[in-house]
């Protein structure tokens, strides 16, 4: 049982005020300069049209860009058709480039940098076009089908797809790409000793299981050089018995650090495939999730949700204890993520050596939270971690506590797509 380990090291020592880092001062992220240290984490918008950019997605991100973040992350974009995870995702192909360029320009006009999360959903894929590629054959509950073991040709093609997609992002004016190495998506499933049962060069030893992550990062870096920043979102723990945990994920991070291909690593955990609430903590929105499903499946989900959606209590900065282990082990800049709602937490992260913080739900609740903090109103976020934003991805992602007329992107999306379920 590995879900509740004791930290390896003592609590981090706060810096003295003289050396305290100002989170609102400009800072370098690889080849780019951010105006402050706060990044909007990827929160899937669910508002693409024909797998391309929409005005609704731009509106959604412009609110947080106007609201003071240094960089906003366009959420999960698939590097290929078969890499799609959920409906209404952007697929990064030449035909999508025009809309991506509009997105980057709009963020720049609002004074923020633009990052794009890139990945292949692998076993998490549950939509048409996905082939649920995985290291090995396992049952995929999202699709109610088995996964398909990836061939070496598949892996070579997908590594190339990441490099090609990153080039499209750079050409479109994006400032960064974030490679998705977490949450049970393809690269993360290769890291997992539970999901990766291969006996070839891509499975078995940790070095072999880390091969796909290293090759993707290497190919992307080679493709974009220093035109843009390259970061990765890496699982510290899958939150699953037999999945990856700190002892191994720290070694994977060291290997990536030694390769020198990444400008920063964002630390996450959990698995959309096997243990989704580990990513979020807080309430499980069972009724709202059931409503997004066909009636019979929704009823079955209500009865079995405790099994599939194990709940974890929310605590501020819930990944900090784990993230400290990485801070002590690697030199690469780190982005602390997970339950950051207070300015004090941002200061604490800086004092413990994290270069950046990423925030998701707090900025869905209040897109202008960073500007409030800069203006001296240092209250905590109003987000209550009810997680009802999660099932809202099918209606145009939004915080249900934001007044309907004030939801960024949502109203445009409802106009374009009136069938989107509320
Ligand atoms: C509605 C919603 C959609 C999300 N979509 C993504 C996604 O596309 N890619 C990803 O890596 N994480 C996604 N996440 C997870 C967030 O990036 C983040 O890891 C998580 O919400 C914890 O950070 P927070 O406590 O600041 O919200 C999503 C979270 C939410 C609430």
């Amino acid at each position: 049982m590995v879900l509740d380990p004791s930290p390896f090291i003592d609590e981090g020592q706060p810096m003295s005020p003289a050396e305290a880092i100002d989170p609102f001062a400009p800072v370098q992220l690889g080849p780019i300069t951010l105006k402050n240290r706060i990044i909007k984490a990827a929160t899937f918008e669910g508002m693409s049209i024909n797998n391309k950019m929409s005005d609704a997605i731009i509106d959604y991100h412009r609110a947080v860009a106007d609201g003071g973040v240094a960089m906003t992350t366009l959420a999960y974009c698939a590097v290929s058709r078969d890499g799609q995870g959920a409906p209404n995702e952007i697929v990064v192909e030449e035909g999508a480039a025009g809309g991506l360029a509009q997105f980057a320009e709009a963020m720049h006009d609002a004074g923020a940098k633009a990052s794009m999360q890139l990945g292949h959903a692998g076993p998490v894929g549950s939509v048409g076009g996905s082939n649920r590629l995985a290291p090995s054959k396992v049952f995929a509950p999202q699709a109610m089908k088995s996964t398909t073991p990836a061939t070496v040709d598949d892996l070579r093609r997908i590594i190339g797809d990441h490099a090609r997609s990153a080039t499209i992002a750079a050409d479109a004016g994006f400032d960064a790409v974030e490679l998705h190495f977490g949450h049970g998506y393809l690269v993360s499933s290769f890291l997992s000793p539970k999901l990766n049962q291969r006996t070839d060069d891509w499975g078995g030893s940790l070095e072999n299981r880390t091969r796909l992550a290293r090759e993707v990062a290497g190919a992307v870096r080679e493709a974009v050089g220093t035109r843009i920043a390259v970061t990765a979102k890496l699982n510290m723990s899958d939150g699953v018995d037999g999945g990856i945990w700190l002892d191994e994920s720290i070694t994977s991070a060291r290997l990536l650090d030694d390769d020198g291909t990444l400008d920063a690593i964002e630390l996450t955990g959990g698995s959309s495939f096997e243990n989704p609430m580990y990513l979020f903590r807080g309430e499980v929105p069972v009724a709202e999730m059931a409503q997004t499903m066909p009636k019979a499946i929704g009823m079955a989900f209500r009865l079995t949700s405790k099994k599939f959606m194990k709940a974890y209590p929310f605590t501020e900065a819930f990944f900090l204890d784990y993230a400290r282990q990485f801070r002590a082990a690697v030199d690469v800049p780190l982005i602390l993520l997970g339950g950051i709602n207070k300015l004090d937490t941002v200061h604490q992260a800086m004092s413990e050596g994290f270069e950046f913080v990423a925030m998701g739900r707090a900025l869905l609740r209040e897109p202008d939270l960073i500007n409030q903090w800069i203006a001296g109103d240092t209250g905590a976020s109003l987000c209550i971690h009810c997680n009802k934003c999660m099932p809202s991805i099918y209606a145009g992602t939004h915080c249900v506590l934001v007044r309907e007329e004030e939801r960024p992107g949502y109203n445009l999306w409802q106009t374009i797509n009136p069938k989107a379920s509320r």
Side-chain angles (χ1 to χ4, degrees):
M1 182 66 183
V2 291
L3 296 183
D4 270 317
S6 311
F8 292 151
I9 56 170
D10 292 339
E11 300 274 304
Q13 292 300 312
M15 290 179 182
S16 70
E19 54 185 339
I21 288 169
D22 177 3
F24 302 120
V27 60
Q28 213 60 24
L29 168 60
I32 65 170
T33 307
L34 301 187
K35 68 180 177 188
N36 61 48
R37 292 173 183 256
I38 298 154
I39 298 169
K40 164 70 176 57
T43 52
F44 180 57
E45 306 85 3
M47 297 186 280
S48 87
I49 300 175
N50 298 328
N51 303 110
K52 296 188 179 67
M53 181 57 63
S54 68
D55 289 344
I57 298 178
I58 293 177
D59 196 44
Y60 175 96
H61 283 271
R62 193 157 31 206
V64 279
D66 283 335
V69 296
M71 180 159 78
T72 187
T73 309
L74 177 60
Y76 182 75
C77 296
V79 296
S80 56
R81 295 255 145 200
D82 68 321
Q84 293 175 75
N88 290 329
E89 286 174 356
I90 292 175
V91 178
V92 188
E93 301 170 323
E94 277 305 331
L100 294 172
Q102 282 173 14
F103 178 95
E105 192 181 345
M107 296 313 118
H108 294 162
D109 286 349
K113 303 284 190 210
S115 179
M116 179 191 295
Q117 184 178 59
L118 289 177
H120 188 292
V124 177
S126 61
V127 289
S130 156
N131 46 11
R132 297 173 308 286
L133 285 180
S136 315
K137 187 172 173 179
V138 291
F139 181 68
Q142 285 88 349
M144 299 297 283
K145 285 184 185 146
S146 293
T147 57
T148 314
T151 65
V152 174
D153 283 347
D154 289 327
L155 298 177
R156 292 271 162 236
R157 192 249 312 157
I158 290 166
I159 292 166
D161 286 336
H162 279 80
R164 182 188 44 73
S165 301
T167 304
I168 291 174
D171 290 347
F174 274 75
D175 305 282
V177 288
E178 174 184 278
L179 308 174
H180 202 343
F181 291 175
H183 304 173
Y185 281 52
L186 185 68
V187 173
S188 156
S189 69
F190 268 76
L191 289 165
S192 160
K194 181 180 175 203
L195 297 177
N196 187 343
Q197 298 294 321
R198 295 171 81 101
T199 53
D200 63 2
D201 289 349
W202 305 82
S205 68
L206 179 60
E207 189 154 359
N208 278 354
R209 282 182 276 125
T210 308
R211 190 178 306 282
L212 184 59
R214 295 172 78 186
E215 293 217 9
V216 164
V220 166
R221 176 55 80 195
E222 196 178 325
V224 300
T226 53
R227 292 170 69 201
I228 58 173
V230 181
T231 68
K233 186 167 184 175
L234 181 72
N235 260 21
M236 299 183 285
S237 165
D238 293 339
V240 172
D241 281 347
I244 201 159
W245 187 67
L246 292 169
D247 50 354
E248 288 199 325
S249 56
I250 288 172
T251 306
S252 299
R254 281 204 186 107
L255 292 169
L256 288 162
D257 191 10
D258 291 346
D259 290 344
T261 47
L262 296 172
D263 295 310
I265 297 179
E266 182 172 299
L267 297 166
T268 188
S271 167
S272 306
F273 187 60
E274 297 177 287
N275 192 1
M277 292 313 294
Y278 195 85
L279 270 83
F280 303 104
R281 318 295 162 102
E283 286 174 46
V284 186
V286 175
E288 291 79 3
M289 291 184 77
Q291 270 168 20
T292 68
M293 300 170 186
K295 208 169 173 186
I297 298 178
M299 278 167 71
F301 174 77
R302 280 172 194 262
L303 294 173
T304 56
S305 62
K306 279 207 168 64
K307 182 164 181 274
F308 294 116
M309 304 285 288
K310 186 172 182 313
Y312 295 86
F314 180 89
T315 52
E316 177 76 9
F318 52 81
F319 280 142
L320 180 58
D321 286 350
Y322 281 19
R324 280 191 188 118
Q325 317 306 321
F326 285 72
R327 188 59 299 166
V330 294
D331 295 325
V332 64
L334 294 177
I335 305 169
L336 183 71
L337 166 79
I340 299 175
N341 290 287
K342 297 179 180 163
L343 181 56
D344 281 352
T345 313
V346 178
H347 285 300
Q348 186 181 357
M350 306 292 109
S351 78
E352 294 199 28
F354 296 94
E355 281 79 358
F356 307 95
V357 297
M359 297 168 61
R361 288 165 294 177
L363 296 173
L364 287 183
R365 178 70 187 89
E366 288 167 286
D368 67 342
L369 182 63
I370 307 311
N371 276 345
Q372 291 178 36
W373 286 348
I374 292 171
D377 178 358
T378 55
S381 157
L382 289 172
C383 175
I384 51 166
H385 341 293
C386 64
N387 292 319
K388 295 188 198 303
C389 53
M390 277 168 54
S392 84
I393 62 170
Y394 300 103
T397 304
H398 60 277
C399 170
V400 301
L401 297 177
V402 172
R403 281 215 298 261
E404 193 162 329
E405 60 277 19
E406 288 173 7
R407 293 173 186 168
Y410 173 84
N411 295 313
L412 266 177
W413 180 243
Q414 289 285 340
T415 314
I416 303 165
N417 188 1
K419 285 194 185 143
S421 59
R422 289 160 173 257

